[in-house]
Amino acid sequence: MLLDTFGRTATDLRVSLTDRCNLRCTYCMPEEGLQWLGKPDLLTDDEIVRLIRIAVTDLGITEVRFTGGEPLLRPGLVGIVERVAALEPRPQMSLTTNGIGLERTAPALKAAGLDRVNVSLDTLRPEVFQQLTRRKRHDDVLRGMAAAREAGLSPVKVNAVLMPGLNDDEAPDLLAWAIEHDYELRFIEQMPLDAQHGWQRDGMITAGDILQSLRTRFDLTEEGADERGSAPAERWLVDGGPHRVGVIASVTRPFCRACDRTRLTADGQVRNCLFAREESDLRGALRDGASDAEIVERWKAAMWGKKAGAGLDDPSFVQPERPMSAIGG
Ligand SMILES: C[S@@+](CC[C@H](N)C(=O)[O-])C[C@H]1O[C@@H](n2cnc3c(N)ncnc32)[C@H](O)[C@@H]1O
């Protein structure tokens, strides 16, 4: 098991498949993109599957979530999903994606064994999408989501980040639209993980702001702590249910005490927290011929040192060197 000194157990593995992305969301990346990892630095498909196998069979991982960068840009994605689905015990598998290309790939991903997807969409307005992502791909994202729902990759969860002056007036419209299309909407507070280091605590839209805005149109009833478990999203029943809306208050109400995550970057580094400043190198160990037992020990040691909290509200907080796209969001 992957334990830490505060008694938490990691059972949820986030695997970044690439640091590249085909969008340039302003809260994530600069317009010109970043210095991408070179091919030799990336884990191969075989290395990824081996590490996931070790995590599932020897370390108690029960959920695997593929992310990036944009994971649909990884050529071997469907094959990786298929091989992970064949593991015993079989983990739950999901994909966090911007949805571009999902229209084409959703049926193959479902057939390979993927359970569900989270698609990121911050706005219903194509012109605001272009301002936020610096790309004209709004329609591709909408078609990708619909294809995922048709393929049975459900519930399709939608992740939305609100940015002041751009889409912060859209929370009720996004919720009405999600309910109409049977998507499960979750708002995520903007975190200090952008490559440009432009995040400002004073400028961000908080969970409190989002709830206030939603309540202008909907009646929200909070679900109890039992339903939340280790999930990062606090959830509210909308107008008495059955639809729900989630808010991930990573900054103003962090969920570190219940955190059950471990992360693997596309270049094979274990991170015990999104905001960690240290990583543990598994790629080097793999390529030096480490046995499964040696990988297990390294991974356990990396998780044992996990801090109590991410410390975002601490004045001494320092943003991690790698941005969200390189860690895996
Ligand atoms: C980094 S992306 C990676 C996966 C995929 N490309 C996608 O768009 O979902 C994962 C999620 O992180 C969110 N995200 C990126 N930067 C963020 C930030 N600074 N604060 C909060 N969420 C952020 C994105 O909106 C997206 O929902």
Side-chain angles (χ1 to χ4, degrees):
M1 287 207 301
L2 289 171
L3 295 169
D4 67 43
T5 53
F6 298 92
R8 294 167 297 192
T9 308
T11 54
D12 175 350
L13 169 61
R14 312 252 151 170
V15 182
S16 173
L17 295 178
T18 175
D19 57 332
R20 288 174 194 249
C21 193
N22 39 10
L23 295 182
R24 294 287 180 274
C25 300
T26 50
Y27 50 77
C28 192
M29 249 190 230
E31 184 156 18
E32 64 278 13
L34 295 166
Q35 179 74 46
W36 312 122
L37 291 166
K39 187 137 192 247
D41 294 327
L42 289 175
L43 293 179
T44 64
D45 292 1
D46 285 348
E47 287 170 335
I48 288 173
V49 174
R50 178 173 174 209
L51 290 176
I52 296 176
R53 174 181 59 72
I54 292 172
V56 167
T57 57
D58 297 327
L59 291 168
I61 291 298
T62 55
E63 283 197 62
V64 176
R65 301 169 194 245
F66 296 109
T67 183
E70 176 43 51
L72 290 178
L73 294 179
R74 175 118 192 171
L77 172 64
V78 173
I80 293 172
V81 169
E82 200 164 34
R83 291 168 69 187
V84 173
L87 294 176
E88 278 295 334
R90 180 193 182 290
Q92 280 286 307
M93 252 188 299
S94 63
L95 176 78
T96 301
T97 171
N98 62 29
I100 297 170
L102 192 55
E103 184 182 21
R104 193 172 39 80
T105 337
L109 286 169
K110 177 70 185 173
L114 190 73
D115 294 299
R116 52 171 204 82
V117 291
N118 284 18
V119 184
S120 303
L121 180 71
D122 304 327
T123 175
L124 298 174
R125 295 178 284 186
E127 67 286 0
V128 176
F129 182 91
Q130 195 180 336
Q131 273 179 287
L132 269 168
T133 67
R134 303 182 177 109
R135 298 287 185 271
K136 284 189 183 180
R137 308 299 296 268
H138 192 247
D139 204 41
D140 298 77
V141 178
L142 297 183
R143 286 196 316 241
M145 282 180 183
R149 192 190 48 214
E150 297 316 311
L153 291 168
S154 47
V156 173
K157 295 190 182 177
V158 176
N159 292 348
V161 177
L162 296 182
M163 296 294 286
L166 274 174
N167 60 343
D168 54 341
D169 56 342
E170 277 198 73
D173 288 345
L174 278 163
L175 181 53
W177 167 86
I179 289 173
E180 184 191 333
H181 291 84
D182 208 16
Y183 301 138
E184 198 175 310
L185 178 65
R186 301 121 44 91
F187 292 95
I188 308 177
E189 282 182 343
Q190 186 201 357
M191 294 177 274
L193 284 168
D194 57 311
Q196 315 87 290
H197 292 234
W199 180 88
Q200 284 183 328
R201 179 74 162 82
D202 296 346
M204 61 167 284
I205 308 294
T206 65
D209 300 331
I210 295 165
L211 291 168
Q212 194 178 10
S213 168
L214 291 175
R215 286 194 159 113
T216 60
R217 206 180 302 171
F218 301 95
D219 183 34
L220 303 182
T221 321
E222 189 166 4
E223 285 196 328
D226 288 352
E227 283 91 351
R228 185 185 186 189
S230 62
E234 293 176 82
R235 297 204 301 178
W236 282 262
L237 278 181
V238 182
D239 292 337
H243 293 286
R244 291 175 168 79
V245 64
V247 180
I248 304 182
S250 327
V251 179
T252 60
R253 286 203 290 268
F255 49 96
C256 307
R257 262 194 298 175
C259 182
D260 62 354
R261 298 174 178 187
T262 180
R263 294 172 182 274
L264 184 62
T265 64
D267 56 350
Q269 311 297 305
V270 168
R271 296 178 67 95
N272 58 28
C273 172
L274 197 48
F275 295 97
R277 298 187 52 75
E278 298 88 36
E279 303 183 333
S280 294
D281 181 26
L282 293 188
R283 185 191 63 196
L286 280 180
R287 295 184 183 172
D288 286 345
S291 65
D292 285 4
E294 284 163 338
I295 300 286
V296 163
E297 286 318 311
R298 272 187 184 237
W299 208 323
K300 281 185 176 173
M303 294 309 293
W304 187 248
K306 183 172 172 130
K307 295 208 167 102
L312 296 192
D313 266 346
D314 191 321
S316 64
F317 172 77
V318 183
Q319 189 173 332
E321 243 153 65
R322 294 224 235 189
M324 177 83 128
S325 57
I327 296 169

